[in-house]
Amino acid sequence: KLILINLSKKVYILSPLKVTLQPILCPSLTLNEAIEALEKAVDVALARPDGKGKPNAGEALNKLAINGRLVNLIKDGKRETDEEKNARHLGYFKSFWEKVDAGAETNRFALQMARLHLGAVKADDAAFQEGVKRAEDTIVREAAYAHAQKKLNPEVSKTINYVVNAKIEKESLGLDAIKAYVGTLSSKIAKDDKSTQASLAMEVLSALSTERDKYVGDDTKKTELAAVDSQIEEALGTLSRDYKPAELTNDICYTIGEYLRGRAPLDSGDQDAINRAVERAFPYYREAIKRGGDMIAENKCGLADALAVTGNKAQIDEANKLYEEVEKSGGDFQIVNRARLGSANSLLLA
């Protein structure tokens, strides 16, 4: 009996101990049927000799981890309880780590699975700590692999951000605790792995920004605000000095660009000071746009927002061109809306 199941953009025909690719159409399945078919796909893939089915099993388990908790399955006419559903869901992670990922030099689903698994166990203290440790180990492994291949892996920075935020939420970490945790994780990463080290530095910068928000608008906290501002400027200076845009993933380029652009004293009336601030951001946005891949619309908007406040007609024209490109891209609504607003504002600045 053949099972037809769509995995990503490919359709697999699964039969005992054999997986073949065919250009066929997959019939519509209910979520219940799709999950059962994916579970069968895992069994078939793992039954292949010499581990040749592990990539297919990993992909199926990834989809099960994403979708498997959305429905209480009906088996033999009986709907599973929430407890049974959660146990089944956690079983997908167990199968992935033990049967697919164990001993691997790299796995393209591992970082996302680490995030999904950590999110699934956040209510259980012991399981959460195990999830954090697994995520850390996966970050270290995948960062080392990408670094050895001289490639950038945006999933590494996404997972670092997810783990740090999960610990902040779960353990109510303060600024010093965040710095300490990031420092410990940083010590496990090669010093010349600029992409990952920059991702970790961004977590400290984010924590400083959150700390700053506590003091903004409070006249009794001017000293604290000045101290945090000084730390933020120092962190930005270190990032700008130690990390070249070409060494950073597009999401980190965008985030650094936004921080640098955000330091521009727009209300000061000092155009030279505004230009000095935003010009620091240009190389980060431009590198991501030149390289292509993810976060292009966001980087185009960031660059356009920076160009639009320079008071230079040629740069304002470039900003409008970028806004137009983002509007026509028809991508994420918030980014497109940001481009529309930026375009309207730039007309007032021209």
Side-chain angles (χ1 to χ4, degrees), residues 110-120 135 155-156 158-159 162:
L111 288 164
Q112 186 183 26
M113 289 294 279
R115 298 195 299 270
L116 291 168
H117 196 175
L118 188 57
E155 288 293 308
V156 172
K158 287 180 186 177
T159 308
Y162 188 91

Side-chain angles (χ1 to χ4, degrees), residues 15 29 42 71 81 83 130 150 175 217 328:
S15 56
L29 300 176
V42 172
V71 63
T81 64
E83 290 76 15
E130 291 176 7
K150 294 181 170 57
L175 178 59
K328 289 181 177 179

Side-chain angles (χ1 to χ4, degrees), residues 42 143 170 243-244 273 288 307:
V42 172
K170 179 76 173 177
Y243 303 103
K244 298 177 182 178
L307 290 165

Side-chain angles (χ1 to χ4, degrees), residues 22 45 58 100 113 125 134 146 156-157 188 203 332 334-335:
Q22 297 289 340
V100 175
M113 289 294 279
D125 291 347
R134 183 183 297 105
V156 172
S157 59
K188 301 176 183 179
E203 295 305 319
D332 179 80
Q334 288 186 327
I335 298 301

Side-chain angles (χ1 to χ4, degrees), residues 124-267:
D124 184 321
D125 291 347
F128 178 81
Q129 295 304 326
E130 291 176 7
V132 168
K133 177 63 167 59
R134 183 183 297 105
E136 291 171 351
D137 291 345
T138 306
I139 287 168
V140 171
R141 184 190 75 186
E142 296 298 330
Y145 182 82
H147 183 52
Q149 300 296 315
K150 294 181 170 57
K151 294 182 178 179
L152 299 175
N153 184 354
E155 288 293 308
V156 172
S157 59
K158 287 180 186 177
T159 308
I160 288 172
N161 179 257
Y162 188 91
V163 173
V164 172
N165 284 332
K167 282 183 68 67
I168 291 172
E169 180 181 349
K170 179 76 173 177
E171 301 170 12
S172 302
L173 299 186
L175 178 59
D176 290 340
I178 295 168
K179 287 181 177 179
Y181 176 70
V182 169
T184 299
L185 188 52
S186 174
S187 69
K188 301 176 183 179
I189 303 295
K191 292 188 183 302
D192 62 343
D193 181 353
K194 296 295 186 70
S195 175
T196 306
Q197 292 291 0
S199 296
L200 289 161
M202 290 303 302
E203 295 305 319
V204 174
L205 187 56
S206 176
L208 285 168
S209 181
T210 299
E211 188 76 4
R212 183 182 190 278
D213 290 341
K214 297 177 182 178
Y215 308 129
V216 174
D218 187 342
D219 290 340
T220 68
K221 299 293 184 180
K222 288 183 178 180
T223 301
E224 290 86 346
L225 179 60
V228 174
D229 274 339
S230 177
Q231 291 184 66
I232 290 175
E233 191 60 36
E234 181 182 355
L236 284 170
T238 299
L239 282 164
S240 300
R241 183 186 67 245
D242 294 348
Y243 303 103
K244 298 177 182 178
E247 297 171 325
L248 309 175
T249 56
N250 288 358
D251 60 325
I252 296 299
C253 281
Y254 173 71
T255 305
I256 292 177
E258 292 292 276
Y259 271 110
L260 291 171
R261 183 177 63 80
R263 303 293 284 177
L266 298 180
D267 296 329

Side-chain angles (χ1 to χ4, degrees), residues 73-88:
L73 297 183
I74 299 175
K75 293 187 177 182
D76 300 323
K78 182 180 179 183
R79 187 179 295 276
E80 65 183 352
T81 64
D82 286 344
E83 290 76 15
E84 291 169 335
K85 177 186 68 175
N86 291 337
R88 170 176 55 77

